[in-house]
Amino acid sequence: MATTISPAPPAPPATRAVPLWRRMPAGLLFTLPFLVFYLAFLVWPTVSSLFLSFFNESLTGTRGEFVGLANWTEMFGDSAMWSAFGNTVYFTLLSTPPLVLIGLVMALLTNRAMPLRWLWRLAFFLPFLLPASVVALIWVWLYQPGFGLVNDTLARLGLAEAGWLTEPDLAMVSVVITTVWWTVGFNFLLYLAALQQIPQHLYDAAAIDGAGWWQRLRSVTLPMLGRTTGLVIVLQLLASLRVFDQIYLLYQGTGGPNFAARPILEHVYTTAFTNFRFGYASAISTFFFVLIVTVSVAQLKLFPSSSNSSNSSKER
Amino acid sequence: MTSVRAWNLVGLLVTAFIAVLWLTPLLWAVDTSLKPEGETTLVPLTWFSDNFSVEAFQRVFAQSDMLRWFLNSTVVAVGVTALVLATASLAAYGFSRTDFRGKRLVFGVVVAGIMVPPQVLVVPLYDEMLALGLIDTYWAMILPQVAAPAMVFILKKFFDGIPRELEEAARVDGASILRIFWQVVLPLSRPVLSAVGIFTFIFTWNNFFWPFLAVSDPDLMTIPVGLATIQSSYGLRYAQIMASAVLGGLPLLVAYVFFQRNIIRSVAHTGLSGT
């Protein structure tokens, strides 16, 4: 600041002597670079998504005509939208319990001293590091009729082979199996980190009271994992609702047999990038956005202690 | 006592069984990639072949743009990670240690952004990139992924926990705030910076949806996007498909072997940031 203490000459305008960035508070300068990205690529798209949903926008780059609520009324009567919505909810309900439970079991198993523990932990976590495309390539190969490893194994066990990627009833089950294999390692790590935070003296006290393995699990471990479980469930719900990558890749964008595996994000994708209806696609994604924010806010209400919680880390 | 040992053995067996189940798809992919094309679909399936070779890998390198995709993924992931570390740590320090009008409000808006799922924004984002003329450039893939409010939140929480006395001492010595940030705060923050960096890198490296939309030029595709195109182009050549899958997954798996501890810590740390 200051500079213009020079006495006589009335006014070389102070604004020129002090450059703009010097007159801004330091804190604003620190946050500015991030805020530019944040406003341009998060806040603006959020606002413009709502805005676009009132226009008959197509992919031409020119602004379409204002159509009021037409996109919204069309959406609420669109059976393809509702079936994709139903598929998304179905996937979420089907995938969340195994993803949470198996992650917990893996963590409980490998939190004890045992031979080759590093190897078991590695095996559980490795798939999480693979890109969705690699996961899809491997599982399409595993699910092949006749010469796929899954069906071959079923046949050897004397069980019936199944059309994992061709049966409408199995379409989503196959996706869930693949997803559990791929991403359970993340929940496993969250649980493992939480288990390592439990103070040893609680177990010592329980042991003195003569508590066995089952008793210690029930009265020490599980209660101490309560908060983590709440967090894992919410993160998993949010991640599962956003399912797209593995489904799109497993079914090559077809939505699966009878569209039985087309999630809502794929419906948005098809509407925008195959049918070129940006305005309508914006209405659907805004609706979906509201749904996800509702789940997030419900989480804040349900688990107030972990307030501003979480992150957007899980995208799968 | 014997019952304890028996239980330990049961635990070990169950663990090993699940681990084998989890490793089998990966091992089967590697196994298939090493077989000659004609043997991959022979029923009954077998894990062994008299003719293991790396021929499928050679053909992938000769016929696909794998190396190009690897280069593109590196450019995008390194670019995003560097920009996130720079902008998020500056912003987090600003929110943690400085004061300006409206700071609380601005921080509130940033934290609210953590709830916004990026996948929901692809349509307006594409519209925006089209208007900016950035579709089919590295920038289209890099810029939107830099807006990571969760990372600002994690870093701010860490900075909040650093005792202020250290910075006061430097200030008495006449250091500017930028210098304090650079020479005092950042060196103390190495663990959290590496957690944020590693997590951002892994996430960007594997990101599929947005790069898949932002780029259609094969010369700009990242590994996940490029691999999405090969299922149809290779038809039924499973050894070649699995060789591509193995190559596509390898970079991060190799990195994992080297940085195992850091990676586990960073995933656990960033994942649990709310608690």
Side-chain angles (χ1 to χ4, degrees), chain A residues 27-28 38 40-41 44-45 48 57 112 122 129 133 137 141 144 156 181 242 244 248 285 296 311 313 315, chain B residues 8 22 28 32 45 98 109 113 115 119-120 124 127-129 199 203 206 209 212 224 238 242 252 256 270:
Chain A
L28 208 55
Y38 186 69
F41 303 114
W44 170 250
S48 98
E57 177 99 349
R112 304 139 50 90
L122 182 74
L129 291 172
S133 325
L137 289 175
W141 170 224
Q144 285 304 311
R156 274 170 209 242
W181 176 80
R242 300 183 215 164
F244 172 83
Y248 180 86
S285 55
S296 308
N311 60 25
S313 52
E315 303 299 330
Chain B
N8 281 343
W22 248 247
W28 184 241
T32 305
L45 299 175
T98 67
V109 172
M115 289 194 292
Q119 293 95 329
V120 169
D127 201 54
E128 185 180 351
M129 287 297 166
F199 199 88
F203 184 70
N206 281 344
F209 197 16
F212 165 69
Y238 287 107
M242 284 307 108
L252 274 192
Y256 180 79
T270 44

Side-chain angles (χ1 to χ4, degrees), chain A residues 68-182:
Chain A
L69 290 173
N71 287 328
W72 288 85
T73 47
E74 180 182 347
M75 177 183 74
F76 287 115
D78 179 358
S79 64
M81 198 291 282
W82 287 114
S83 106
F85 181 82
N87 289 339
T88 306
V89 173
Y90 180 53
F91 172 80
T92 304
L93 295 179
L94 211 56
S95 64
T96 301
L99 277 164
V100 174
L101 280 176
I102 297 176
L104 173 63
V105 169
M106 284 173 165
L108 288 173
L109 283 170
T110 56
N111 193 42
R112 304 139 50 90
M114 57 166 61
L116 290 177
R117 190 170 68 173
W118 64 272
L119 178 65
W120 317 131
R121 288 181 176 177
L122 182 74
F124 299 158
F125 182 64
L126 268 195
F128 181 73
L129 291 172
L130 299 174
S133 325
V134 169
V135 172
L137 289 175
I138 293 176
W139 281 88
V140 166
W141 170 224
L142 292 171
Y143 282 143
Q144 285 304 311
F147 49 81
L149 187 64
V150 176
N151 277 328
D152 184 72
T153 308
L154 288 177
R156 274 170 209 242
L157 295 173
L159 300 166
E161 296 193 14
W164 294 99
L165 298 175
T166 50
E167 286 274 339
D169 287 346
L170 280 179
M172 207 53 113
V173 175
S174 315
V175 175
V176 169
I177 294 172
T178 301
T179 306
V180 169
W181 176 80
W182 181 27

